[in-house]
Amino acid sequence: DVQVVESGGGLVQAGGSLRLSCVASGDTFDDYAIGWFRQAPGKEQEGISCISSADNIPWYADSVKGRFTISSDNAKDNAKKMVYLQMSSLNPEDTAVYYCGVLLGTDYACPTLYDDWGQGTQVAVSS
């Protein structure tokens, strides 16, 4: 089974920055896609960024483009994968629980469905 754990959330003032981490383990990460999603209270889940082994080209939703940066480690240990989300110029609309989704065995750059999820990490941005 794949285990997914997010960390790095917290409370930050508007204009501040946070770096979220996602560690996925428990399988072989040769072909993978890892996406960041968020869900604010009363709103639907929103896909905000993803990266995959298919092309290693990051994708961003318009709502975060230019402010958030996704990256992955280049470790040779393919039994674990770390993905980061650097978030800058945060505003109160970024307040949400942030989740990491993992899909293995895929050659899609940014799939719409993911198999494994973490528990999420809370991000709160004060005005």
Side-chain angles (χ1 to χ4, degrees):
D1 292 347
V2 175
Q3 293 84 44
V4 183
V5 179
E6 305 95 336
S7 62
L11 175 63
V12 63
Q13 289 187 330
S17 299
L18 281 174
R19 187 195 195 207
L20 304 184
S21 299
C22 169
V23 57
S25 60
D27 207 312
T28 302
F29 294 83
D30 291 327
D31 303 310
Y32 65 88
I34 297 180
W36 282 102
F37 296 76
R38 67 185 181 184
Q39 188 163 21
K43 295 187 177 180
E44 293 186 354
Q45 188 184 66
E46 176 190 14
I48 57 173
S49 185
C50 69
I51 194 166
S52 74
S53 59
D55 58 9
N56 208 33
I57 298 176
W59 171 86
Y60 301 98
D62 288 343
S63 57
V64 305
K65 195 174 295 182
R67 301 187 298 123
F68 291 10
T69 302
I70 191 171
S71 62
S72 64
D73 65 339
N74 293 317
K76 295 183 178 180
D77 178 8
N78 64 355
K80 184 172 70 174
K81 178 60 65 179
M82 293 286 296
V83 173
Y84 307 96
L85 188 69
Q86 178 68 47
M87 307 187 297
S88 303
S89 301
L90 287 163
N91 59 65
E93 289 70 40
D94 295 314
T95 295
V97 178
Y98 285 69
Y99 298 91
C100 183
V102 177
L103 181 64
L104 300 182
T106 179
D107 56 2
Y108 284 102
C110 276
T112 56
L113 298 177
Y114 292 78
D115 286 339
D116 299 289
W117 296 86
Q119 293 298 308
T121 186
Q122 176 72 54
V123 171
V125 185
S126 63
S127 57

